[in-house]
Amino acid sequence: MTRRTRDFAVLVLTTGTVMLILALTGSLGLIEALTAMFVIGAIAAAYYVGSAAMQLPAPAKPLEASRREGMALADFLSALPLPAFEVSRDEQRITSFNQPAAVFLRLGQRRSAPPRASAIIRAPALLAAIETCFNAAGLGSAEIEMEIGPEEQWRAHIHPIPGSGNLMVVLEDLTPVKRAARARADFLANASHELRTPLTAISGFIETMRGPAREDKESWDRFLSIMAGETERMSRLIADLLSLSRIESAEHVQPTAREHFGDIVMSSVDALQPLASEKGVELVFDEPEALPAVTANRDELIQVVENLVSNAIKYSKGGHKVTIRCGVAADAFAARTEAAQAWPDSERMTLLQTSNRVAINEPTVWMRVEDQGPGIEREHLPRLGERFYRADQSRGGKITGTGLGLAIVKHIMAHHRGGLAVETVMGQGTAFGVWLPAARENQGV
Ligand SMILES: Nc1ncnc2c1ncn2[C@@H]1O[C@H](COP(=O)(O)OP(=O)(O)OP(=O)(O)O)[C@@H](O)[C@H]1O
Ligand SMILES: [Mg+2]
């Protein structure tokens, strides 16, 4: 019986009895006694109903109490999204575990007896910590970090299970957190290095012009033109960094404008014609048949075309040809084949997969930029599109660049639910392909 039920019963019974006695002894008329009993009964009922809302929920039961009530540890484990398992005091066997732990510990096949922890767990640090916890007086608890392989990092939380003498181990994957921290540190190191290099050159020339070459006015022109080049390099780098951060911060804002992909490609290619002529590279743009519109940010797509075509020009020699083609395919897979899988014996790599938010059979527009340059060695392919990654660093660094161009392209294509791929044949050329879904009939402005 709850407290409020008891209060209610006592109140009603006591007042009922008092009224009855008063009525029987003649101190109170029967009508008055009945009215008073009715009023007090109504007040008691109001208390009973009103106090229900004030009732506090029952406190959560500790694990031990729940176990006594028959709730198995396995139920707790299976509700945990992290790998978790129980190690018995007796022979240190893994007596229960959840599905993520089965994957982590590779506990696939059925076994007749629970396996020993030492036979299953490959991290010596974890085994040692479990051992230490068992040896501690009254079972200890511990928290350790461990590296598994060159890349993975995990944290293990070991706690005694009350009442059983066993231990519970919960594992937490720290790999993504550590990877993000490393990427941030790498990015800062690279960015400051890239900025410091031209700055060092500029301040070196200023020193020379103030000191040893103070009177040598003839060489000043040469120094100034080198300094101008370095300044230009720095402002290009800052512009690229700003553009990357702008694209990243707008990543979740979907483009809305309806644009003509063919027009964007054509005007961007035209803008690069002087650069190509200066180098003696022939730019060939195969005019596409009518292309469907795309839902896009025009400036961003111009950046994609300019980065890919300027790379093709940069890595070509005089007399080479750079060919730009575009078209439309039935879906993203067909578009990737057209854009970056045209040469039979090429090395191929998809640098950005089409987002899974794109429906199957969604008509897809593609562009291919093909050159006759030196090609890219196979080992570099997976890392293209990483910020500051340059494949030709080892070739003596004659061609300058910061390695941000493809990172920008990759981000923009992700923003447009598109993809990016490359194919290359050493000594014969490279082709980069991009694709993005065509706008639906009723979509866009
Ligand atoms: N068409 C190509 N042919 C050969 N190598 C290429 C080609 N395009 C890109 N690469 C390689 O990929 C690397 C990354 O290209 P990315 O455009 O990101 O940087 P970058 O051109 O060096 O510098 P920038 O930031 O000025 O564009 C280049 O350094 C180069 O080694
Ligand atoms: Mg580039």
Side-chain angles (χ1 to χ4, degrees):
M1 190 193 276
T2 64
R3 225 184 89 192
R4 47 193 269 278
T5 317
R6 193 191 57 211
D7 291 351
F8 175 73
V10 169
L11 197 65
V12 169
L13 279 177
T14 319
T15 45
T17 316
V18 171
M19 291 303 147
L20 201 62
I21 293 168
L22 288 176
L24 287 177
T25 55
S27 314
L28 206 65
L30 187 64
I31 301 293
E32 287 87 345
L34 283 177
T35 314
M37 276 171 72
F38 176 76
V39 170
I40 292 170
I43 293 171
Y47 158 76
Y48 184 76
V49 173
S51 63
M54 283 152 45
Q55 274 222 320
L56 294 173
K61 291 196 181 88
L63 181 59
E64 191 185 2
S66 304
R67 290 194 103 195
R68 271 204 305 273
E69 285 175 19
M71 191 164 308
L73 179 71
D75 292 335
F76 285 103
L77 293 183
S78 65
L80 274 177
L82 306 170
F85 53 92
E86 178 184 26
V87 184
S88 67
R89 172 180 274 287
D90 180 31
E91 294 189 313
Q92 297 190 9
R93 290 179 183 273
I94 297 180
T95 41
S96 49
F97 53 88
N98 62 7
Q99 184 52 32
V103 174
F104 182 84
L105 298 170
R106 304 201 183 136
L107 285 166
Q109 63 276 50
R110 288 211 153 274
R111 292 159 194 270
S112 48
R116 280 178 188 273
S118 56
I120 296 292
I121 297 172
R122 284 166 301 138
L126 179 55
L127 280 175
I130 291 173
E131 186 74 45
T132 315
C133 288
F134 275 125
N135 292 337
L139 281 186
S141 57
E143 206 174 283
I144 57 154
E145 283 187 16
M146 53 197 177
E147 263 178 41
I148 297 176
E151 283 285 305
E152 280 184 47
Q153 197 144 21
W154 290 77
R155 181 182 289 147
H157 306 261
I158 309 168
H159 281 288
I161 302 172
S164 71
N166 294 348
L167 289 175
M168 159 114 97
V169 182
V170 180
L171 299 169
E172 188 188 353
D173 190 359
L174 299 180
T175 317
V177 183
K178 299 272 176 188
R179 197 177 288 154
R182 199 165 46 235
R184 201 166 48 235
D186 283 356
F187 172 73
L188 280 176
N190 280 328
S192 41
H193 170 80
E194 291 293 331
L195 281 169
R196 212 173 40 224
T197 316
L199 210 54
T200 316
I202 294 169
S203 62
F205 281 110
I206 293 175
E207 286 301 305
T208 316
M209 288 163 80
R210 278 175 162 172
R214 182 185 277 271
E215 304 307 327
D216 183 9
K217 301 276 191 250
E218 270 116 66
S219 38
W220 277 31
D221 258 359
R222 194 165 53 86
F223 294 160
L224 284 173
S225 80
I226 297 174
M227 284 161 73
E230 294 296 313
T231 319
E232 204 178 301
R233 185 172 150 199
M234 263 171 70
S235 47
R236 225 180 16 239
L237 171 66
I238 290 167
D240 280 354
L241 284 173
L242 283 178
S243 136
L244 250 184
S245 89
R246 220 178 8 249
I247 298 160
E248 268 181 341
S249 59
E251 207 143 47
H252 303 292
V253 185
Q254 286 297 309
T256 50
R258 206 178 168 88
E259 298 286 353
H260 292 280
F261 189 65
D263 283 358
I264 293 179
V265 178
M266 187 145 50
S267 57
S268 318
V269 170
D270 281 349
L272 288 165
Q273 199 67 58
L275 187 74
S277 325
E278 197 182 296
K279 213 173 162 187
V281 171
E282 187 190 349
L283 269 192
V284 181
F285 177 46
D286 276 357
E287 188 95 34
E289 74 281 22
L291 285 180
V294 287
T295 309
N297 178 320
R298 187 180 176 88
D299 288 343
E300 289 188 4
L301 286 193
I302 290 177
Q303 261 184 297
V304 167
V305 183
E306 284 187 350
N307 268 304
L308 295 182
V309 177
S310 69
N311 273 354
I313 297 172
K314 182 153 92 174
Y315 296 100
S316 295
K317 287 209 181 81
H320 282 168
K321 204 159 78 176
V322 169
T323 313
I324 298 106
R325 268 203 293 272
C326 41
V328 59
D331 59 27
F333 291 105
R336 182 181 63 181
T337 312
E338 298 274 2
Q341 299 184 344
W343 292 329
D345 299 317
S346 60
E347 292 289 348
R348 294 168 182 175
M349 181 67 58
T350 303
L351 303 171
L352 173 71
Q353 297 277 6
T354 300
S355 145
N356 52 14
R357 287 176 293 140
V358 174
I360 305 168
N361 296 335
E362 198 163 329
T364 304
V365 174
W366 57 267
M367 175 186 72
R368 173 182 172 88
V369 179
E370 187 181 305
D371 65 43
Q372 299 174 326
I376 306 173
E377 272 149 33
R378 183 195 173 144
E379 76 246 33
H380 296 298
L381 296 184
R383 298 199 57 192
L384 295 179
E386 276 180 28
R387 292 167 194 198
F388 296 110
Y389 189 79
R390 302 197 62 223
D392 56 348
Q393 235 150 15
S394 54
R395 292 181 209 151
K398 258 200 272 155
I399 302 174
T400 57
T402 48
L404 286 174
L406 288 177
I408 292 174
V409 169
K410 191 172 162 181
H411 263 89
I412 294 176
M413 292 321 295
H415 190 202
H416 285 81
R417 301 187 302 144
L420 167 69
V422 57
E423 69 174 321
T424 180
V425 179
M426 285 310 286
Q428 288 185 37
T430 306
F432 279 89
V434 290
W435 58 94
L436 71 160
R440 295 192 194 103
E441 280 312 309
N442 53 357
Q443 195 181 348
V445 203

